[in-house]
Amino acid sequence: MNLIVIGIGLIGGSFAKDVKKIHPDTQITGIDKSEEHLEEALQLGLIDQKGDYTSLATADMVFVSIPVNALVKELPKILDSVGDDTVVIDTGSTKELICAAVENHPNRRNYLACHPIAGTEFSGPSAAINGLYHGKTNIICEVEKTAFKLQERALELFQGMNMRIRYMNPSAHDKHIAYVSHLSHISSFMLGKTVIEKEKNERDIFDLAGSGFESTVRLAKSSPDMWTPIFEQNKENVVESLEEYIQNLETFKQLLLDNAYENVHQEMNNTNRIKQILKGIPLTKS
Amino acid sequence: MNLIVIGIGLIGGSFAKDVKKIHPDTQITGIDKSEEHLEEALQLGLIDQKGDYTSLATADMVFVSIPVNALVKELPKILDSVGDDTVVIDTGSTKELICAAVENHPNRRNYLACHPIAGTEFSGPSAAINGLYHGKTNIICEVEKTAFKLQERALELFQGMNMRIRYMNPSAHDKHIAYVSHLSHISSFMLGKTVIEKEKNERDIFDLAGSGFESTVRLAKSSPDMWTPIFEQNKENVVESLEEYIQNLETFKQLLLDNAYENVHQEMNNTNRIKQILKGIPLTKS
């Protein structure tokens, strides 16, 4: 297979590793705006050679893993350059604006809108790991708009990576994901900010913080370049989820101020259900 | 050594395991209000026999790992019953009220106020693990009020577990810990609540949530019985940290509403420093 990965960082690089494992004969071409990342990806053996958009016409598969603001700009150009038999897969954490950007593109049938729920808080080619996608959920939007033969090619590969496929429309995706992903990142970033502001002497944090704090702020290590455009594109849903989150925090604070400790206990007890809900979420080593 | 563990769950049970490893000859007696937990601890070999407060007089060391509201009530009774040569160690996540509760106790010299920053989101004897305390920080308060010889006995054991000792006064402890521990638990519980409320169909959460969400809500699995009294005893500091956290979330929300994405990027970029700050925090397998 002839695979082109556009944006050869954690997501694209890990995909390249898995494809090589499943189809060792795959020729992988890397495209990235950062010459440094391209060089690094070549050194690490994530790609076989560098390329550019002129290489797209002969590709069997194009895997696009770039920030969502770049996706909206580049995806139409990518579709301009692909061949009839090329399937283009993206990995954007938002779907509504991205699907809208190519809605009327003559080659819309070559595009499969995807969001694999996989990643770590690290980024760049060196962050690429084996098996990142194993057992993970892959949300596919507007599948009916993609040529059947091209769907098949992508799905076969996803099955080879043991991914769970879920079909959704773009607006439902963006709404759900605001809660289970985007909001977590904001709560984590702001928790980190609150503690850093308070603990001017960072030594104190290091000495007193335990694994619980580390786990809760883990996402605050994430890349602002990747996340700023996600929040921008999903602004409406993210703001809504933030308002509900803040409201719940306010309520909890008020219960403390009212010494309503039975309610405080109940609030936590009800939320303990998350144990059962989360059972089976595949954890990424990171 | 003759060790008595009062409250034989995750914290007490893991301590018992480590002591047995360092001093295999240690006789460990368990005391717990739950007959079921005591039985389980005996089955699991965490303790050698069951006991009661009459056993305290002859103990070399008493390790008290019970909820902080119980600590305030029981610690004076425990000190009533200990012998001259018994050192009593607690593990309360709050220190101000606990230290105040025994401030004028005739046996205050037998008590060493401790808070080992170690744990998992699980609880009960079956949650006890080996090496929970290895490399963790142990905050000791008002060390000058403990008999020197008894301090030594405790510190030798802590060193054997490779714990990092930090000395603090109770009010500084409660203030710092509100930020690096108590606030994380509330942010996690309320995140879990927000998502559960939104995703009435829990199947959706399970399908869409990734390891990032799992990590951020991990603490929402924690025990309400343990955490309600902690929030009650540290109410003032916890409310203050909550207010600052909510304010930071409001600011972030406003930046989104104002489309001030450069500031959004900067907020996250500044908080990325947490990477460096957190390096070296010992992670608990859980």
Side-chain angles (χ1 to χ4, degrees):
Chain A
M1 187 173 65
N2 177 358
L3 169 70
I4 296 181
V5 178
I6 302 179
I8 188 78
L10 160 71
I11 298 299
S14 300
F15 187 79
K17 275 174 170 275
D18 283 357
V19 173
K20 272 280 191 200
K21 204 165 183 185
I22 297 168
H23 302 298
D25 61 325
T26 307
Q27 270 299 306
I28 305 184
T29 304
I31 300 178
D32 201 295
K33 70 173 179 26
S34 154
E35 185 54 39
E36 191 187 339
H37 274 187
L38 264 184
E39 215 20 78
E40 196 179 353
L42 208 52
Q43 305 285 326
L44 292 165
L46 299 175
I47 57 174
D48 301 306
Q49 69 263 331
K50 308 177 189 179
D52 54 40
Y53 283 10
T54 61
S55 336
L56 293 169
T58 55
D60 301 302
M61 182 178 286
V62 180
F63 188 84
V64 192
S65 42
I66 59 180
V68 292
N69 54 333
L71 255 168
V72 169
K73 289 197 203 73
E74 296 302 314
L75 196 52
K77 297 183 204 164
I78 292 164
L79 288 178
D80 291 343
S81 319
V82 294
D84 261 9
D85 193 43
T86 307
V87 57
V88 178
I89 299 162
D90 82 313
T91 63
S93 296
T94 58
K95 282 282 152 279
E96 211 160 0
L97 281 178
I98 292 165
C99 288
V102 294
E103 192 178 3
N104 304 309
H105 194 287
N107 295 335
R108 174 64 183 83
R109 61 187 290 287
N110 294 84
Y111 167 56
L112 185 67
C114 295
H115 179 199
I117 313 293
T120 74
E121 68 272 34
F122 306 110
S123 49
S126 60
I129 54 178
N130 290 311
L132 177 65
Y133 299 99
H134 185 87
K136 302 293 167 62
T137 297
N138 189 1
I139 305 172
I140 299 181
C141 295
E142 299 184 334
V143 66
E144 67 284 354
K145 296 189 177 181
T146 309
F148 187 66
K149 190 180 65 174
L150 301 181
Q151 289 178 36
E152 266 189 333
R153 185 180 304 156
L155 286 171
E156 257 174 37
L157 201 55
F158 296 154
Q159 272 147 23
M161 296 177 183
N162 193 32
M163 297 187 91
R164 290 189 316 226
I165 306 301
R166 296 290 179 266
Y167 297 100
M168 268 192 175
N169 66 60
S171 77
H173 166 277
D174 286 9
K175 193 165 196 57
H176 284 302
I177 222 67
Y179 283 84
V180 296
S181 169
H182 302 172
L183 177 60
S184 314
H185 283 76
I186 296 175
S187 81
S188 192
F189 268 110
M190 291 304 101
L191 178 65
K193 182 188 177 186
T194 306
V195 175
I196 289 174
E197 279 177 345
K198 194 67 185 184
E199 306 287 344
K200 297 280 180 275
N201 173 359
E202 296 176 1
R203 183 86 194 141
D204 289 348
I205 303 181
F206 168 75
D207 281 348
L208 305 187
S211 60
F213 177 69
E214 209 283 349
S215 164
T216 319
V217 294
R218 193 191 118 205
L219 296 179
K221 303 174 184 174
S222 305
S223 156
D225 296 340
M226 171 185 167
W227 281 95
T228 305
I230 290 173
F231 295 142
E232 179 174 1
Q233 289 194 11
N234 204 21
K235 171 179 167 176
E236 203 174 300
N237 292 312
V238 168
V239 166
E240 185 191 321
S241 70
L242 248 176
E243 278 166 350
E244 293 172 20
Y245 181 52
I246 291 169
Q247 188 46 59
N248 285 326
L249 289 163
E250 287 285 5
T251 303
F252 195 88
K253 190 186 86 181
Q254 197 53 50
L255 291 175
L256 290 176
L257 289 171
D258 299 344
N259 299 314
Y261 298 110
E262 279 186 18
N263 308 58
V264 166
H265 186 283
Q266 193 170 19
E267 287 269 306
M268 291 190 277
N269 204 38
N270 295 340
T271 307
N272 273 168
R273 291 196 298 122
I274 205 84
K275 278 183 205 164
Q276 282 67 46
I277 297 170
L278 290 177
K279 267 197 193 108
I281 286 186
L283 274 167
T284 304
K285 274 196 219 63
S286 63
Chain B
M1 185 172 67
N2 177 359
L3 170 69
I4 296 181
V5 177
I6 302 178
I8 188 78
L10 160 71
I11 298 300
S14 301
F15 187 79
K17 273 173 170 278
D18 284 357
V19 173
K20 272 280 191 200
K21 202 164 183 188
I22 298 169
H23 301 298
D25 60 326
T26 306
Q27 269 299 307
I28 305 184
T29 304
I31 300 177
D32 201 294
K33 71 174 175 31
S34 154
E35 185 53 40
E36 190 188 339
H37 274 188
L38 264 183
E39 214 22 76
E40 195 180 354
L42 208 52
Q43 305 286 324
L44 293 165
L46 298 175
I47 58 174
D48 301 305
Q49 69 264 332
K50 308 177 189 179
D52 55 40
Y53 282 10
T54 62
S55 336
L56 293 170
T58 55
D60 300 303
M61 182 178 288
V62 179
F63 188 84
V64 192
S65 42
I66 60 181
V68 292
N69 54 333
L71 255 169
V72 170
K73 290 196 204 74
E74 296 302 313
L75 196 52
K77 298 183 203 163
I78 292 165
L79 288 178
D80 291 343
S81 319
V82 294
D84 258 11
D85 193 43
T86 306
V87 58
V88 177
I89 299 161
D90 82 315
T91 63
S93 296
T94 58
K95 281 282 152 280
E96 211 160 359
L97 281 178
I98 293 165
C99 288
V102 294
E103 191 179 3
N104 303 311
H105 194 288
N107 295 334
R108 174 63 183 85
R109 62 187 290 286
N110 293 83
Y111 168 56
L112 185 66
C114 295
H115 179 199
I117 312 293
T120 74
E121 68 272 35
F122 307 109
S123 48
S126 59
I129 55 178
N130 292 311
L132 177 65
Y133 299 99
H134 185 86
K136 303 293 168 62
T137 296
N138 189 1
I139 305 172
I140 298 180
C141 295
E142 299 184 334
V143 66
E144 68 285 354
K145 295 189 176 179
T146 310
F148 187 66
K149 190 180 66 175
L150 301 181
Q151 287 178 38
E152 264 188 334
R153 186 181 303 154
L155 286 171
E156 257 174 37
L157 200 56
F158 296 153
Q159 271 147 24
M161 296 177 184
N162 193 32
M163 297 187 91
R164 290 190 316 228
I165 306 301
R166 296 291 179 265
Y167 297 99
M168 267 190 176
N169 67 59
S171 79
H173 165 278
D174 287 8
K175 191 164 198 60
H176 284 302
I177 222 67
Y179 284 84
V180 296
S181 168
H182 302 173
L183 178 60
S184 313
H185 283 76
I186 297 174
S187 81
S188 191
F189 268 110
M190 291 304 102
L191 177 65
K193 181 189 177 185
T194 306
V195 175
I196 289 174
E197 279 177 345
K198 194 67 185 185
E199 306 287 347
K200 296 280 180 275
N201 173 358
E202 295 176 1
R203 184 86 194 140
D204 289 348
I205 303 181
F206 167 76
D207 281 349
L208 304 187
S211 60
F213 177 68
E214 208 283 348
S215 162
T216 319
V217 294
R218 192 191 117 204
L219 296 179
K221 304 174 185 174
S222 305
S223 156
D225 296 341
M226 172 184 168
W227 281 95
T228 304
I230 290 173
F231 295 143
E232 178 174 2
Q233 288 194 11
N234 203 21
K235 172 180 165 176
E236 202 173 301
N237 292 312
V238 168
V239 166
E240 184 191 320
S241 70
L242 248 176
E243 277 166 353
E244 292 171 22
Y245 181 52
I246 291 169
Q247 188 46 60
N248 285 327
L249 289 163
E250 287 285 6
T251 304
F252 195 87
K253 190 187 86 182
Q254 196 53 51
L255 291 175
L256 291 176
L257 290 170
D258 298 344
N259 299 312
Y261 298 110
E262 278 185 21
N263 307 58
V264 167
H265 186 284
Q266 193 170 21
E267 287 269 306
M268 292 190 277
N269 204 37
N270 296 341
T271 308
N272 273 169
R273 290 196 297 122
I274 205 83
K275 279 182 206 167
Q276 283 66 48
I277 297 170
L278 289 178
K279 270 200 192 105
I281 285 186
L283 274 167
T284 303
K285 272 194 222 66
S286 63

